[in-house]
Amino acid sequence: MSVVEQIKQAETIEAPRLGEPYLLTPGPLTTAYGVKEAMLRDWGSRDAEFIAMTAEMRERVLTIAGLNAPEFDCVPMQGSGTFAVEAMMGSLLPRDGKALVLANGAYGLRIAKILERIGRDHTLIDKGDYLPPRGEEVSAALSADPKITHVVVVHCETSSGILNPIEEIAEATEAAGCKLFVDAMSAFGAIPIDLQRVRYAALAASSNKCIEGVPGIGFVVAPKSELEAAKGNCHSLSLDLHDQWVGLNNNGQWRYTPPTHVLAAFVEALRRHAAEGGVAARGGRYSGNRDILVEGMRGLGFETLLSDRWLSPIIITFFYPSSSAFDFNRFYDLIRDRGIVIYPGKLTVADSFRIGCIGQLGEDVMRQVVEASAAALREMDIQDASPPAEALAEREKLSA
Ligand SMILES: *Cc1c(COP(=O)(O)O)cnc(C)c1O
């Protein structure tokens, strides 16, 4: 990074002002003070100012998606990201449709669970903890089962941090005449999805990940034709994306009480996202964060679950060290004492923990994370944080 860039980053990234720790977690995450400050006043949900804020939010999300054209729209939904995914699936998957869910972690499996719960026909390709679903597998599954109408993929599977190959999956889906839904929750705003290369019928994401807002709003981006076709399809009243969309378009208002303060913070976060330089700049900062983190942790002996090819700039999974002196809870507390919150692992095959690269954080914070990890190892009397050999052998499967 050049000196000028460093000064610019130092100006834009601020330390938490209230003494709270840095959240190296994939959302909720560390937000800018100005984002939190935007929540200090009250807004009437039917007031013109609030209606204008909702419109600005929808427009800015479409800009980030690269879809600022009259044939697309953004529909916000109250709740966390899962509410938006459930609204997308329940509203946009036709009742007589069938979905192929591609899972390689908790979030893919959650989509299958949603479909199970709402009684929609579906089938699952489960790649386990972190192997990526590939285009050829999707092609094979679609030609074996002509009832399948939709494929659902998670862009960045946050449970391992793997960046799934959605271009080849989109290509296979389109070639078979099917439509694609994307859970882009932890990637939207930092990793571009070009609709020319990834033709999707809908994408869901939320306020509290790469946009760096606070939790409470999910949203779906889709062509208006998909939203129109969803009329009367949803199993749920509150999660009906079509009704929400029609309501917003009629009078600019949300159907039920909107999270007013969360929206104010979200709009502030969206403005800051644009001011930083949009998706490219946000993704660039997170990639820089990842590189400092991975290099520093590898310097201590830690290794990543994923080989470099699949590492996202969103969240990184590290194996536990093989040393018998390692105790994750102690490691967590020692790092927490230095003002940093990390994340437990979510794998079944290997013991691991995760460190996020997203949020109002720059390279200096990532260096602090590495220093805190080094200090914690010293206190635990561990000289080398290398994982067991079997863990690395497991990773070799991925290089294929
Ligand atoms: C965060 C996340 C979700 C939504 O989780 P919530 O806890 O409901 O916000 C869904 N999918 C992915 C990939 C995520 O990272």
Side-chain angles (χ1 to χ4, degrees), residues 131-312:
L131 291 171
R134 302 305 302 259
E136 315 90 75
E137 292 170 287
V138 173
S139 299
L142 295 180
S143 56
D145 185 352
K147 278 175 73 188
I148 297 171
T149 55
H150 291 70
V151 175
V152 198
V153 66
V154 179
H155 191 182
C156 174
E157 175 49 79
T158 322
S159 26
S160 64
I162 191 168
L163 200 53
N164 282 324
I166 61 168
E167 280 88 3
E168 63 181 48
I169 289 163
E171 208 172 292
T173 303
E174 200 184 3
C178 294
K179 290 180 175 177
L180 185 69
F181 292 144
V182 185
D183 171 352
M185 208 67 61
S186 62
F188 189 82
I191 302 170
I193 302 189
D194 177 0
L195 193 72
Q196 295 306 318
R197 295 178 59 216
V198 178
R199 294 204 171 272
Y200 58 83
L203 167 157
S206 73
S207 54
N208 64 290
K209 292 194 176 173
C210 301
I211 309 293
E212 300 183 2
V214 304
I217 294 177
F219 54 86
V220 173
V221 169
K224 286 178 180 168
S225 55
E226 294 289 333
L227 295 165
E228 274 156 14
K231 187 172 185 194
N233 191 47
C234 194
H235 61 290
S236 155
L237 174 68
S238 57
L239 294 176
D240 190 329
L241 217 52
H242 176 270
D243 280 8
Q244 181 91 327
W245 180 58
V246 169
L248 281 164
N249 289 349
N250 281 346
N251 57 11
Q253 295 172 12
W254 302 52
R255 285 175 307 161
Y256 312 121
T257 305
T260 47
H261 300 74
V262 174
L263 183 77
F266 191 26
V267 168
E268 177 60 25
L270 285 161
R271 290 176 186 163
R272 285 164 181 255
H273 181 275
E276 187 175 341
V279 176
R282 186 60 53 96
R285 172 157 63 83
Y286 292 167
S287 298
N289 287 351
R290 172 198 57 200
D291 294 346
I292 297 286
L293 176 71
V294 169
E295 193 188 319
M297 295 296 275
R298 282 184 178 153
L300 302 175
F302 283 106
E303 255 315 329
T304 57
L305 167 78
L306 302 172
S307 55
D308 290 357
R309 173 175 175 193
W310 302 105
L311 281 183
S312 68

Side-chain angles (χ1 to χ4, degrees), residues 49 126 149 396:
E49 263 183 305
D126 184 359
T149 55
E396 291 309 304

Side-chain angles (χ1 to χ4, degrees), residues 3 8 25 32 49 51 81 101 113 117 157 201 270 299 352-353:
V3 175
K8 203 170 145 231
T25 55
E49 263 183 305
I51 288 174
V101 179
K113 197 169 178 183
R117 185 66 70 93
E157 175 49 79
L270 285 161
S352 62
F353 63 91

Side-chain angles (χ1 to χ4, degrees), residues 29-164:
L29 38 65
T30 295
T31 57
Y33 190 79
V35 167
K36 293 184 269 279
E37 205 172 38
M39 294 188 287
L40 285 178
R41 59 156 288 189
D42 303 316
W43 305 84
S45 62
R46 301 181 190 286
D47 192 67
E49 263 183 305
F50 184 76
I51 288 174
M53 250 175 8
T54 299
E56 179 177 344
M57 179 242 131
R58 295 170 69 194
E59 201 175 302
R60 285 187 180 275
V61 166
L62 286 171
T63 302
I64 291 174
L67 299 178
N68 237 326
E71 58 274 34
F72 298 98
D73 219 335
C74 163
V75 186
M77 185 58 72
Q78 295 95 327
S80 83
T82 305
F83 292 66
V85 172
E86 189 159 340
M88 171 172 77
M89 299 309 303
S91 303
L92 302 184
L93 178 67
R95 295 219 178 188
D96 59 357
K98 179 173 183 179
L100 168 64
V101 179
L102 308 177
N104 55 342
Y107 293 102
L109 292 175
R110 187 179 295 174
I111 294 168
K113 197 169 178 183
I114 288 171
L115 292 170
E116 185 74 48
R117 185 66 70 93
I118 67 177
R120 298 294 172 90
D121 201 7
H122 63 284
T123 181
L124 179 69
I125 294 182
D126 184 359
K127 300 300 302 274
D129 272 339
Y130 57 87
L131 291 171
R134 302 305 302 259
E136 315 90 75
E137 292 170 287
V138 173
S139 299
L142 295 180
S143 56
D145 185 352
K147 278 175 73 188
I148 297 171
T149 55
H150 291 70
V151 175
V152 198
V153 66
V154 179
H155 191 182
C156 174
E157 175 49 79
T158 322
S159 26
S160 64
I162 191 168
L163 200 53
N164 282 324

